[in-house]
Amino acid sequence: DTEVTQTPKHLVMGMTNKKSLKCEQHMGHRAMYWYKQKAKKPPELMFVYSYEKLSINESVPSRFSPECPNSSLLNLHLHALQPEDSALYLCASSQEKRRQGREAFFGQGTRLTVV
Amino acid sequence: AQSVSQHNHHVILSEAASLELGCNYSYGGTVNLFWYVQYPGQHLQLLLKYFSGDPLVKGIKGFEAEFIKSKFSFNLRKPSVQWSDTAEYFCAVISNFGNEKLTFGTGTRLTIIP
């Protein structure tokens, strides 16, 4: 099973709302990622969790708050977002394997619209 | 810090033409290299990856890529493109050890004209 599942697929929220994006993988991967992708642009790294600890925060505004409750789950809590935060939010996971290196698997993404 | 550059921003080809998309990376250590494809409105899919061994790697849908260590390059090729190859193509790099940051290039938009 090489799948990363993200919910919801689409989300529309107001600027005063609080919402959460969820990501789940059952491949036993120990690294999980949040990326933000604007139309016709590459994914931009937001956060990396390694062994359930936040290892990289790419200077993301505090209105985005990641959480890794366990090794299979990754959440992104959203609060007081701006319209410019509208984008596709991608979750990924990766694992280092002997003789195979690292490979990241991506979910289908949550298309977020902030109104 | 690692970085990836893709020189071709938009490539337009006719069906059956040959394709080569450039990718250069900057990183001092051992890396894994990837090409991802994103069809319009869809998520990222892995086309192929290089870890070690044979520098010529074959992926899905008839794509291949060659890792040239001396040039820090990992160019994507396909001998004969199809209209269905129209998509955005991203090169990416991740360190083999330590930092788990997967870094993407800016992407190349490929348009195939029937």
Side-chain angles (χ1 to χ4, degrees):
Chain A
D1 181 10
T2 55
E3 242 187 41
V4 177
T5 305
Q6 289 187 243
T7 55
K9 288 188 168 45
H10 300 273
L11 178 63
V12 179
M13 62 185 289
M15 289 189 282
T16 58
N17 291 162
K18 284 185 182 180
K19 296 286 184 184
S20 296
L21 309 185
K22 297 188 183 303
C23 175
E24 191 167 1
Q25 57 91 10
H26 295 288
M27 296 177 277
H29 290 177
R30 293 310 200 179
M32 295 186 74
Y33 308 74
W34 281 115
Y35 282 85
K36 172 182 176 180
Q37 187 180 24
K38 296 282 238 181
K40 302 190 189 304
K41 297 291 186 184
E44 298 174 29
L45 183 65
M46 300 174 72
F47 303 103
V48 181
Y49 271 82
S50 179
Y51 291 87
E52 301 168 44
K53 288 185 170 29
L54 183 64
S55 62
I56 298 176
N57 176 343
E58 291 286 282
S59 303
V60 179
S62 59
R63 57 186 185 268
F64 296 91
S65 174
E67 178 196 18
C68 188
N70 60 55
S71 59
S72 300
L73 294 174
L74 186 66
N75 298 323
L76 186 63
H77 303 299
L78 314 172
H79 174 54
L81 295 194
Q82 304 296 311
E84 58 264 29
D85 295 322
S86 298
L88 181 67
Y89 287 83
L90 295 165
C91 175
S93 69
S94 74
Q95 180 79 336
E96 181 184 342
K97 292 184 177 179
R98 283 187 65 201
R99 293 188 293 277
Q100 293 181 46
R102 284 178 171 153
E103 179 180 333
F105 294 85
F106 283 82
Q108 301 229 358
T110 294
R111 191 159 298 281
L112 174 68
T113 304
V114 181
V115 297
Chain B
Q2 62 207 44
S3 66
V4 182
S5 60
Q6 292 180 243
H7 321 295
N8 318 105
H9 296 294
H10 190 190
V11 173
I12 302 173
L13 294 171
S14 298
E15 275 194 316
S18 64
L19 169 72
E20 180 159 1
L21 302 183
C23 172
N24 286 88
Y25 70 96
S26 170
Y27 185 69
T30 310
V31 296
N32 289 181
L33 295 156
F34 309 89
W35 276 97
Y36 286 89
V37 62
Q38 191 170 33
Y39 298 102
Q42 295 192 26
H43 65 290
L44 285 164
Q45 298 176 41
L46 182 68
L47 272 181
L48 47 78
K49 70 173 183 179
Y50 172 79
F51 167 57
S52 67
D54 189 343
L56 185 63
V57 292
K58 295 192 185 300
I60 61 171
K61 302 178 190 281
F63 286 91
E64 64 179 33
E66 185 175 13
F67 171 55
I68 303 179
K69 189 174 181 180
S70 60
K71 295 184 178 179
F72 295 90
S73 71
F74 189 56
N75 292 355
L76 181 71
R77 300 196 290 247
K78 185 170 184 178
S80 176
V81 294
Q82 301 170 301
W83 176 79
S84 57
D85 293 325
T86 295
E88 192 85 20
Y89 291 81
F90 296 100
C91 183
V93 62
I94 191 169
S95 164
N96 241 358
F97 305 101
N99 186 329
E100 290 161 314
K101 185 172 177 178
L102 177 64
T103 302
F104 284 84
T106 50
T108 297
R109 190 184 339 155
L110 176 64
T111 301
I112 305 300
I113 300 170

